[in-house]
């Protein structure tokens, strides 16, 4: 799916940087640091820089236990830091979104049928990423595509999904 998304972006003349979560190295659990320590592990800084440079982001991930994989959530927690993704207004409950102007799309695979995930689980993991994380930081999600049930899908279904990206 990632390869198809890259091919399509390149065909449109877009610049693309593909980061694969499995290839990124960062600590879990997060090492204790002083409160004013803003240093980042190299791959977290690379992820942050890719976000900074991008106008449009594409996140491709599976739904696991109703939400995004823990390692993906950890990367977001490490990278979307105050001063980079948002800034709190002093003496207020308000914040400033620092990633305004960026857009994103979510391509999500799941074993649950997408209609069931939307209606029964209320899109829990997708809503968390969309509203609670990305929109909090100013990123507007322009498209969400749900693919499933992966476990019982056929090769022709999967090829159809890829063709429709």
């Amino acid at each position: 799916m990632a390869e198809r998304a890259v091919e399509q972006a390149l065909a449109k003349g877009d610049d693309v940087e593909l980061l694969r979560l499995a290839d990124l190295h960062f600590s879990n659990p997060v090492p204790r640091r002083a409160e004013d320590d803003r240093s980042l592990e190299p791959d977290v800084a690379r992820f942050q820089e890719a976000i900074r440079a991008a106008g449009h982001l594409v996140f491709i991930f599976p739904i696991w236990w109703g939400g995004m994989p823990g390692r993906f959530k950890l990367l977001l927690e490490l990278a979307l830091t105050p001063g980079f993704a948002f800034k709190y207004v002093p003496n207020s409950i308000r914040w400033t979104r620092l990633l305004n102007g960026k857009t994103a799309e979510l391509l999500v695979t799941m074993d649950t049928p997408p209609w069931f995930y939307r209606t029964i689980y209320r899109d829990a993991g997708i809503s968390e990423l969309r509203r609670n994380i990305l929109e909090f930081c100013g990123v507007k999600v322009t498209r969400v595509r749900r693919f499933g049930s992966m476990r019982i899908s056929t090769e022709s279904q999967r090829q159809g999904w890829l063709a429709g990206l």
Side-chain angles (χ1 to χ4, degrees):
M1 199 174 283
E3 290 168 5
R4 178 64 57 98
V6 166
E7 287 170 9
Q8 290 177 331
L10 290 172
K12 291 189 301 188
D14 295 337
D15 291 329
V16 176
E17 181 176 4
L18 175 63
L19 298 178
R20 295 180 187 274
L21 184 61
D23 297 335
L24 301 178
H25 302 283
F26 48 91
S27 298
N28 185 12
V30 178
R32 281 195 162 298
R33 301 186 312 210
E35 188 174 324
D36 61 345
D37 181 358
R38 300 282 182 236
S39 63
L40 299 173
E41 294 176 81
D43 281 350
V44 175
R46 180 175 168 219
F47 179 68
Q48 200 178 68
E49 187 52 42
I51 292 171
R52 181 180 285 114
H56 184 72
L57 305 160
V58 179
F59 294 102
I60 303 170
F61 62 97
I63 292 294
W64 289 351
W65 291 104
M68 69 187 96
R71 188 164 157 70
F72 180 35
K73 176 88 182 300
L74 177 61
L75 178 61
L76 294 172
E77 290 176 7
L78 294 171
L80 299 179
T81 56
F84 169 72
F86 64 94
K87 181 174 68 175
Y88 290 118
V89 175
N91 303 313
S92 173
I93 61 167
R94 297 177 185 211
W95 69 98
T96 302
R97 293 169 170 91
L98 299 179
L99 299 179
N100 280 326
K102 296 185 183 302
T103 58
E105 62 187 287
L106 312 178
L107 306 178
V108 184
T109 62
M110 57 188 70
D111 281 340
T112 304
W115 67 266
F116 190 90
Y117 187 73
R118 276 194 313 272
T119 57
I120 304 303
Y121 294 134
R122 298 190 176 142
D123 253 357
I126 292 169
S127 294
E128 177 185 25
L129 180 57
R130 177 185 213 152
R131 287 196 310 259
N132 301 0
I133 299 172
L134 296 174
E135 290 178 5
F136 181 91
C137 299
V139 178
K140 179 178 174 32
V141 176
T142 57
R143 183 170 88 156
V144 177
R145 299 278 313 272
R146 298 161 189 83
F147 302 94
S149 169
M150 296 303 293
R151 192 171 48 82
I152 61 170
S153 65
T154 65
E155 179 65 27
S156 64
Q157 279 180 303
R158 291 188 299 274
Q159 289 304 316
W161 292 334
L162 288 174
L165 283 182

